[in-house]
Amino acid sequence: MACNFVLFRRGQNFSLHTHTIGFDGQNTPADMVAAAQQVGLRHLGISNHFIVHPDITKSKFYPFAVRGGYKSIYSSSFDEAIAKFKPHYEELNRLADTSDIKIYRGMEVDFFDYPEWRAGFEQAIKILKPDYIIGASHFVEMDGELHNVHDFSNADNVTRTRLLISYWTKLGRAAESGLFNFMAHLDLPKKTGCGTEYYWVEEEQNVIDKLAETKTPIEINTSFYNRSDEPYPSARILKMVAASNVPVLLSDDAHQADFVGRHFERAYDFARSCGVKKFLTCRAILRKTR
Ligand SMILES: [Zn+2]
Ligand SMILES: [Zn+2]
């Protein structure tokens, strides 16, 4: 029996960036829905990773994913990814029929900047018909290799600088692509302590200009509160986002049910302190036509 008790929630009554079991989350979609209801959310989107690249299993990071038990988030072909998402979306459809809150089928997509990827992705979208798509970049391609952001920190200084330039360039291209309802964790490399220096401000502004041009929203991702007193992105970026009128929403990036809606009030206040005045509604984000 669903609990009808709904808590007052400042800032946002939905969460669209979440992960579940079978990918790299720890709970089932049904567990996530129950948790969302308990914290007073009215809409929940499940957005598991959609990471497709022919060389993904050759990347330096891949063995870590194998050991960590989440290699299923990586696919070498679009057919492989589609085969994983089809039964997953069927499960979400069944859940939507029996839930008291609205359920949406999302995906967190790693953008890759070459024509075959784009063609394959657009074909996959026609087949899977997600309700919304989150753009992300956990990998960059450089010197014929795929580098996960986790590998940036072990690189020598020159290589790290080149990797970070590739990262921001790719994010700009992702913004320009018009494929995404919103972009995830803009300054992800800070996860491993990279790219926080002030001199990255020009690369950051360049991406924000592209987001503003294409009216692509960004999330304020509260998962970084696990490691720091700020979310993704930093105050520096969020002030530029506010000044450029890039639309904003809150995300928890929950990989377990307990984390659904976590730190939303704190992130809301942080965003306000950076000059963000308007927060998107769930409907406005889902309305974006691709
Ligand atoms: Zn992510
Ligand atoms: Zn995520």
Side-chain angles (χ1 to χ4, degrees):
M1 189 65 191
C3 173
N4 291 318
F5 182 67
V6 176
L7 297 170
F8 174 72
R9 173 162 286 286
R10 183 161 80 252
Q12 197 172 282
N13 67 351
F14 62 92
S15 174
L16 293 176
H17 187 164
T18 66
H19 299 274
T20 58
I21 214 161
F23 294 85
D24 65 345
Q26 294 176 23
N27 294 96
T28 64
D31 294 337
M32 301 299 269
V33 171
Q37 279 189 282
Q38 208 160 31
V39 296
L41 301 188
R42 298 300 304 149
H43 314 256
L44 180 72
I46 307 283
S47 60
N48 281 303
H49 289 285
F50 191 95
I51 305 176
V52 181
H53 193 286
D55 300 329
I56 200 79
T57 61
K58 289 182 225 142
S59 75
K60 202 166 126 193
F61 187 71
Y62 187 75
F64 289 92
V66 172
R67 265 180 266 147
Y70 57 91
K71 69 179 165 91
S72 62
I73 67 171
Y74 302 119
S75 299
S76 302
S77 71
F78 284 100
D79 285 346
E80 192 185 332
I82 291 165
K84 290 170 192 167
F85 266 73
K86 263 191 176 166
H88 171 55
Y89 275 4
E90 281 161 17
E91 183 185 3
L92 296 186
N93 286 343
R94 286 193 297 274
L95 195 59
D97 289 341
T98 55
S99 294
D100 293 338
I101 62 171
K102 292 286 281 179
I103 311 296
Y104 303 102
R105 296 165 312 182
M107 48 171 67
E108 180 183 4
V109 174
D110 261 63
F111 175 76
F112 291 106
D113 192 15
Y114 59 96
E116 294 82 4
W117 183 87
R118 172 118 191 186
F121 181 64
E122 287 184 347
Q123 190 58 34
I125 291 313
K126 278 191 195 138
I127 295 165
L128 292 171
K129 300 183 180 67
D131 295 315
Y132 66 96
I133 306 172
I134 308 174
S137 187
H138 300 86
F139 288 89
V140 298
E141 291 166 294
M142 202 175 81
D143 303 334
E145 257 188 89
L146 278 176
H147 304 260
N148 189 280
V149 291
H150 277 277
D151 301 324
F152 290 16
S153 59
N154 329 323
D156 62 73
N157 282 343
V158 173
T159 308
R160 185 184 312 123
T161 300
R162 290 180 60 220
L163 286 165
L164 283 162
I165 290 170
S166 300
Y167 173 83
W168 286 107
T169 303
K170 184 146 82 79
L171 229 50
R173 296 282 296 159
E176 286 172 332
S177 76
L179 289 171
F180 305 116
N181 293 74
F182 65 93
M183 295 295 297
H185 41 57
L186 282 195
D187 51 355
L188 184 66
K190 77 178 174 188
K191 189 175 195 171
T192 55
C194 300
T196 57
E197 298 88 349
Y198 184 75
Y199 53 76
W200 290 105
V201 71
E202 272 178 48
E203 271 75 12
E204 293 165 355
Q205 182 66 64
N206 187 37
V207 168
I208 292 163
D209 290 346
K210 288 179 173 144
L211 294 164
E213 274 163 37
T214 54
K215 294 190 171 62
T216 305
I218 66 139
E219 68 172 15
I220 299 169
N221 183 316
T222 64
S223 70
F224 199 61
Y225 280 129
N226 288 351
R227 301 159 190 254
S228 169
D229 60 2
E230 68 174 27
Y232 300 108
S234 65
R236 177 174 77 214
I237 292 178
L238 213 44
K239 283 175 188 167
M240 295 191 280
V241 161
S244 303
N245 288 315
V246 170
V248 164
L249 69 142
L250 306 176
S251 288
D252 48 56
D253 204 352
H255 285 67
Q256 60 188 77
D258 294 357
F259 292 0
V260 174
R262 205 165 67 134
H263 299 311
F264 274 6
E265 292 83 357
R266 188 177 175 186
Y268 177 85
D269 292 342
F270 176 74
R272 299 278 301 183
S273 77
C274 293
V276 174
K277 292 192 182 72
K278 261 183 78 178
F279 294 80
L280 287 164
T281 61
C282 190
R283 187 186 296 196
I285 297 158
L286 297 173
R287 197 167 48 211
K288 183 181 189 293
T289 47
R290 286 183 292 274

